[in-house]
């Protein structure tokens, strides 16, 4: 009997020790994973967000000055040669490099920008789907949704209409240009693989995807911005993350914006 008690006692000590080691490793790894991006943000992230472009006037337009990128891509490329853009939504504390592996769609799902295994992964696009320069009709960026607020975790704040009204734009910077996308949909979507079901090389597929947005998943927190025009011929940016819900049904949470001309940057969104 005493022998059995000793086995239980020492077995409990082993379980406690293993659990303690696991927790220490978990919290250390989580802190390290976040630090990878903090270090790069401190040296390379945008220095300022451009003010909305004012409505055109009758005065002659001055000759545009050479593009001065607010992101230090030279510094960013020292960390990762696969960085091709930078995404920023200032009001949601989202400011991260965008990466694309040369030939592995899923590499950055579980690797950070240093190439190290990292459960947080990175914000990335797939080389089999996108050109890696935001020139496609549909550019899809993926990012994890963790409770620590990193990467695309804060996108779910768009379930609140007030957040969408206050933060209607997604900014994207590349070495050559600055892009601004006006959000027209913030929705819970099915887990369907969009590039497979809606190959954007065909105009009818692009329209079918737009038509699918209002009804794919019934959710009172879905928002379609009716006053933001979008057609099958527009370039759109899709930010995709998990919903963060614990239910057994797998859905994706999508924030979708349409590329804006400068004259449209100062329009006010009306949420429907």
């Amino acid at each position: 009997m005493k022998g059995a008690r000793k086995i239980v006692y020492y077995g409990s000590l082993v379980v406690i020790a293993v659990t303690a080691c696991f927790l220490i490793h978990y919290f250390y790894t989580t802190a390290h994973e976040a630090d990878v991006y903090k270090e790069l943000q401190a040296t390379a992230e945008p220095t300022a967000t451009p003010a909305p472009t004012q409505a055109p006037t009758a005065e002659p337009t001055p000759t545009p000055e050479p593009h001065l990128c607010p992101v230090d891509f030279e510094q960013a490329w020292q960390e990762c040669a696969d960085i091709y853009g930078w995404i920023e939504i200032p009001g949601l504390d989202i400011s991260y490099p965008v990466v694309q592996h040369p030939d592995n769609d899923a590499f950055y799902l579980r690797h950070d920008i240093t190439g190290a295994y990292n459960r947080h992964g990175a914000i990335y696009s797939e080389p089999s789907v996108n050109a890696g320069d935001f020139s496609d009709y549909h550019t899809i960026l993926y990012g994890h949704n963790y409770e620590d607020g990193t990467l695309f975790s804060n996108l779910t704040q768009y379930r609140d209409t007030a957040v969408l009204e206050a933060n209607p734009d997604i900014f994207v910077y590349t070495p050559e240009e600055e892009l601004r996308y006006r959000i027209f949909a913030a929705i819970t979507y099915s887990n369907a693989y969009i590039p497979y079901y809606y190959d954007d090389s065909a105009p009818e597929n692009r329209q079918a995807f737009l038509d699918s947005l209002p009804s794919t998943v019934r959710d009172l927190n879905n928002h379609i911005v009716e006053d933001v025009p979008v057609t099958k011929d527009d370039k759109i940016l899709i930010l995709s993350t998990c919903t963060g819900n614990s239910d057994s049904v797998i859905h994706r949470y999508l924030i979708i914006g349409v590329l804006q001309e400068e004259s449209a940057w100062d329009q006010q969104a009306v949420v429907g």
Side-chain angles (χ1 to χ4, degrees), residues 54-259:
Q54 300 299 317
T57 66
E59 297 179 1
T61 303
T63 302
E65 297 181 359
H67 172 60
L68 297 176
C69 184
V71 176
D72 187 346
F73 278 99
E74 294 294 337
Q75 178 69 35
W77 288 330
Q78 292 181 28
E79 196 71 49
C80 177
D82 291 342
I83 294 174
Y84 72 94
W86 195 287
I87 184 171
E88 185 180 35
I89 307 177
L92 271 65
D93 196 28
I94 291 176
S95 183
Y96 291 98
V98 178
V99 293
Q100 181 171 289
H101 192 273
D103 53 28
N104 186 336
D105 279 352
F107 182 81
Y108 285 109
L109 178 68
R110 286 288 183 264
H111 290 81
D112 62 32
I113 56 173
T114 70
Y117 178 83
N118 186 326
R119 68 189 182 92
H120 280 67
I123 292 176
Y124 69 97
S125 56
E126 298 172 319
S128 68
V129 174
N130 287 129
D133 59 5
F134 299 95
S135 63
D136 300 288
Y137 283 104
H138 295 172
T139 295
I140 307 176
L141 301 184
Y142 300 94
H144 284 300
N145 175 7
Y146 284 112
E147 293 181 355
D148 59 6
T150 59
L151 299 178
F152 277 170
S153 302
N154 289 339
L155 286 183
T156 54
Q157 293 182 29
Y158 277 120
R159 289 172 173 149
D160 185 340
T161 303
V163 173
L164 181 53
E165 291 176 338
N167 303 276
D169 292 319
I170 304 165
F171 302 93
V172 170
Y173 307 99
T174 75
E176 295 79 25
E177 59 185 342
E178 298 172 7
L179 306 172
R180 187 178 300 212
Y181 296 84
R182 178 58 54 90
I183 297 171
F184 67 90
I187 60 171
T188 298
Y189 199 75
S190 72
N191 201 36
Y193 184 55
I194 294 171
Y196 176 81
Y197 288 99
Y198 302 103
D199 177 5
D200 68 6
S201 63
E204 61 270 22
N205 290 340
R206 301 196 295 267
Q207 185 60 53
F209 173 68
L210 294 175
D211 293 342
S212 76
L213 298 180
S215 59
T216 178
V217 175
R218 299 291 181 180
D219 190 325
L220 293 177
N221 294 316
N222 283 355
H223 304 299
I224 301 294
V225 185
E226 303 290 351
D227 286 3
V228 176
V230 56
T231 73
K232 67 182 186 305
D233 297 319
D234 288 317
K235 304 290 180 65
I236 68 175
L237 178 65
I238 303 170
L239 310 184
S240 178
T241 190
C242 61
T243 60
N245 294 335
S246 59
D247 55 33
S248 60
V249 179
I250 299 175
H251 292 140
R252 302 295 295 175
Y253 189 66
L254 305 182
I255 303 300
I256 312 174
V258 56
L259 183 62

Side-chain angles (χ1 to χ4, degrees), residues 180 259-265:
R180 187 178 300 212
L259 183 62
Q260 298 292 285
E261 297 294 335
E262 291 188 0
S263 60
W265 283 5

